[in-house]
Amino acid sequence: MAASLSTRLLKGIANLQTVRSSRLTSASVYQNGMMRFSSTVPSDSDTHDDFKPTQKAPSGSTDSLKDIVENDVKDNPVMIYMKGVPESPQCGFSSLAVRVLQQYNVPISSRNILEDQELKNAVKSFSHWPTFPQIFIKGEFIGGSDIILNMHKEGELEQKLKDVSGNQD
């Protein structure tokens, strides 16, 4: 009985008409009755509408976004490009990265990539890394929250941050 019920359910799903919206771009039904959906956000394929940038960097700046990122990384011993700000992260991965870095009492410089889509793309291009947060220590791209957490657990992060001043005036 359960087998025939599940068969009827799968056949019913397979016969459903594909629905399209601005986010849902396609749905495919496989032979076993399972459906596969692909979704995108029109202007940024890896960001949900709630996290899309709301404003752009100030216009009139003579620095290109690449120059801004290069200067951020060069001028700040610990630089994190994240969703939100250290005092109020807006995603769990950004929050984790900040919490790990705060264990070392080092000054953390940051930029909120949710405020500027062009900055977000410039950071991705600079690091050749698609996801956020992105952490740079002493000018070197380290990675995201998973890398920072692993380095913390292994004692490598303490070594990396040993000569970064903990004085946060």
Side-chain angles (χ1 to χ4, degrees):
M1 170 118 176
S4 72
L5 182 60
S6 64
T7 302
R8 282 192 292 173
L9 177 63
L10 290 175
K11 284 182 181 178
I13 291 172
N15 292 328
L16 286 176
Q17 185 176 21
T18 302
V19 176
R20 294 188 183 271
S21 72
S22 63
R23 278 202 196 153
L24 181 62
T25 58
S26 66
S28 306
V29 179
Y30 294 101
Q31 288 180 347
N32 63 4
M34 297 297 292
M35 295 185 86
R36 177 180 176 206
F37 292 94
S38 298
S39 62
T40 61
V41 174
S43 65
D44 185 14
S45 62
D46 66 344
T47 301
H48 185 274
D49 283 342
D50 292 344
F51 296 105
K52 282 177 138 182
T54 56
Q55 52 186 300
K56 296 183 180 240
S59 59
S61 171
T62 57
D63 288 340
S64 73
L65 288 172
K66 181 182 178 211
D67 292 336
I68 290 171
V69 174
E70 284 177 356
N71 288 332
D72 282 350
V73 169
K74 181 180 74 172
D75 296 342
N76 298 290
V78 179
M79 182 70 199
I80 180 170
Y81 292 93
M82 60 183 288
K83 294 178 180 178
V85 294
E87 299 77 24
S88 182
Q90 294 188 13
C91 94
F93 297 113
S94 292
S95 177
L96 174 62
V98 168
R99 285 183 290 153
V100 169
L101 290 168
Q102 286 175 337
Q103 297 296 310
Y104 296 91
N105 194 33
V106 294
I108 301 170
S109 300
S110 70
R111 285 204 189 254
N112 181 356
I113 54 108
L114 297 178
E115 293 179 349
D116 186 349
Q117 180 66 41
E118 292 173 6
L119 174 67
K120 179 180 178 183
N121 290 333
V123 174
K124 285 181 182 182
S125 178
F126 181 81
S127 66
H128 305 290
W129 193 257
T131 59
F132 290 89
Q134 292 190 12
I135 299 119
F136 295 82
I137 298 176
K138 296 186 271 186
E140 178 187 351
F141 175 60
I142 302 300
S145 59
D146 56 337
I147 303 295
I148 290 292
L149 181 59
N150 189 49
M151 288 177 73
H152 170 69
K153 289 178 180 177
E154 300 295 322
E156 298 169 19
L157 189 56
E158 183 176 19
Q159 261 320 96
K160 194 79 169 157
L161 294 169
K162 72 180 178 184
D163 58 347
V164 175
S165 173
N167 298 329
Q168 298 184 20
D169 294 341

